[in-house]
Amino acid sequence: MEILWFLIVMAMLAAIIGPYVLRRRGGGVGIRQVAPGSPDAADPETYGFLRQEEQDIRLPGPDQDLLDVLDVVQRTQDWRAASQLLAGTPKDGEVRWQRVQAFAGAASLELQQKPGAGGAWLRTWRSESPKDAGGAQVHAEFLVQQAWRTSAVGADDFRIILEEARTVCEEATLLAPGDPVPYIVELAVARGLGYPHERFDQIWAKVIDRAPQHMGAHLSALRYWCEAWHGSREEADHFATTAAARAPQGSLLAGLPLFAVYEHIPDLVMVQNFHQSAVVSKAVDGALYAVHSARPGDPMLAHVRHLLILFLVRSERWAEAMNQLVMVDGHVGALPWTLSEDPAAEYTVYRNLAVAGYEANGGSPATLAR
């Protein structure tokens, strides 16, 4: 009987304490959100942050020239402004790759919203100017995004679309032999079609021959080497740490190991205090070093900052998370938020947690360095 009463008491305690424990375990975050308007609710707007509905989900950071051109292209359905912008964008930099992705994503989203009609400007671009290298690159990336957006990985239509993307990549390399972008697009094709390691290495060699420090290319290649695709946790870690070790001063490649950790969180997150572990702390510190030493205006800075926010919040490093938030708020088109059906909502949850944790530990708008 005493054992029975003991079990009953323990069950009652579990019912009372359990929800609190689960809230703390959720995502490794130790701050519980409260309803807006509650006396205990922190107000992100007091820090100058934008409301959830004002967050731009198209880009990780500002690129006003791109947004202006996108507006013209989508409003007029005339591709020429996009062609001119890409023609004036250096071929070996991160900005060109990001703009190719943005144009392709815009056309893909238009087609999804208006099947059979959306994205007509891209089809016209290719038909009226088939020798335009920028148009070929956008077309190849568009096909890659379509494969993942509309098909199941490994399905026949998925493979057919990616095989067409590979053909367009080959056309694009002939139109601009020194441009790394077609080969970067093919890295995603290689992942989807399951290129053997030797063939992938051949594509990768062409990328680094043209742009050895290209962060976007390294992020794409990293996914191929992850356990979920065609490598392992060890191979992905080796790829990331090797690139970080070889990176010159000021390169954001020093933050690549954090992306390798992120890619394998589903396998590791059950480890107790995972986000305070030495593995995560080392990767986070490397990424912080990368953003602090990077040149101002590096177009990949926002990508690293966004991922840092997730890890810093989960590690309860509130002040450091706030320091990153003030640099990116307003644009949330980056990992990890873009994997959510509602990137702005996902980002806002983490931002609110950071604000609450920061204030719970004595922080305020006045103490936040900008």
Side-chain angles (χ1 to χ4, degrees):
M1 180 65 72
E2 291 178 352
I3 294 177
L4 177 61
W5 278 111
F6 174 78
L7 293 175
I8 292 172
V9 171
M10 291 301 295
M12 292 175 63
L13 287 172
I16 296 170
I17 298 173
Y20 172 76
V21 173
L22 288 174
R23 281 195 296 267
R24 284 192 57 87
R25 288 180 62 106
V29 177
I31 290 291
R32 178 173 57 89
Q33 293 199 93
V34 295
S38 165
D40 295 324
D43 184 3
E45 290 189 32
T46 63
Y47 293 84
F49 293 143
L50 298 181
R51 294 190 297 272
Q52 177 178 320
E53 60 272 20
E54 296 175 311
Q55 301 294 327
D56 192 325
I57 65 173
R58 296 171 294 179
L59 299 173
D63 184 345
Q64 195 58 49
D65 288 342
L66 172 63
L67 294 179
D68 291 343
V69 169
L70 265 176
D71 178 65
V72 170
V73 169
Q74 294 184 308
R75 179 164 38 84
T76 67
Q77 291 295 294
D78 189 335
W79 54 270
R80 290 175 179 81
S83 176
Q84 291 171 1
L85 182 65
L86 287 181
T89 305
K91 64 184 180 182
D92 58 347
E94 306 280 357
V95 174
R96 183 178 180 85
W97 169 231
Q98 291 191 21
R99 287 175 173 176
V100 166
Q101 287 183 299
F103 284 129
S108 180
L109 186 58
E110 281 185 39
L111 185 59
Q112 181 183 39
Q113 294 170 341
K114 298 179 180 179
W121 54 269
L122 178 54
R123 295 190 291 275
T124 304
W125 187 356
R126 292 292 283 142
S127 64
E128 293 183 354
S129 186
K131 301 299 183 183
D132 187 324
Q137 293 170 9
V138 173
H139 185 199
E141 174 64 16
F142 165 81
L143 290 169
V144 168
Q145 294 192 27
Q146 278 296 101
W148 261 277
R149 190 187 297 273
T150 64
S151 307
V153 174
D156 288 344
D157 54 344
F158 178 81
R159 297 188 65 85
I160 289 170
I161 296 172
L162 286 185
E163 286 167 359
E164 183 181 355
R166 178 170 57 196
T167 299
V168 179
C169 284
E170 293 170 354
E171 295 175 11
T173 61
L174 296 175
L175 294 171
D179 195 325
V181 169
Y183 296 107
I184 299 174
V185 177
E186 192 172 356
L187 294 176
V189 175
R191 178 163 55 90
L193 294 180
Y195 282 18
H197 291 180
E198 295 77 11
R199 187 175 179 185
F200 182 86
D201 286 338
Q202 291 171 0
I203 303 300
W204 180 241
K206 293 175 181 178
V207 172
I208 60 174
D209 182 56
R210 291 160 175 79
Q213 303 302 322
H214 201 290
M215 180 71 171
H218 279 80
L219 290 175
S220 185
L222 174 64
R223 298 203 69 192
Y224 174 91
W225 290 112
C226 288
E227 191 171 66
W229 290 98
H230 309 294
S232 64
R233 188 182 307 163
E234 292 73 22
E235 287 173 303
D237 181 67
H238 174 74
F239 177 83
T241 54
T242 299
R246 294 176 178 172
Q249 175 70 22
S251 170
L252 284 169
L253 288 176
L256 197 61
L258 186 63
F259 288 84
V261 172
Y262 174 73
E263 290 290 345
H264 294 93
I265 281 181
D267 300 321
L268 298 171
V269 77
M270 296 306 294
V271 177
Q272 188 176 12
N273 298 323
F274 168 68
H275 291 95
Q276 287 82 32
S277 68
V279 171
V280 173
S281 296
K282 181 179 179 180
V284 167
D285 290 342
L288 285 169
Y289 168 80
V291 299
H292 291 154
S293 60
R295 62 179 176 81
D298 188 311
M300 292 302 293
L301 257 174
H303 287 271
V304 183
R305 292 189 190 280
H306 279 291
L307 193 62
L308 269 169
I309 289 166
L310 178 137
F311 278 96
L312 290 169
V313 169
R314 289 183 175 183
S315 302
E316 302 183 13
R317 295 167 65 167
W318 311 115
E320 291 168 296
M322 292 293 289
N323 289 336
Q324 301 307 315
L325 283 162
V326 297
M327 303 300 293
V328 301
D329 192 73
H331 297 85
V332 296
L335 284 175
W337 327 121
T338 49
L339 295 182
S340 168
E341 292 184 1
D342 190 342
E346 185 78 2
Y347 163 80
T348 303
V349 166
Y350 275 83
R351 187 188 66 186
N352 293 354
L353 288 167
V355 171
Y358 182 62
E359 293 189 354
N361 288 274
S364 71
T367 61
L368 182 62
R370 289 179 180 268

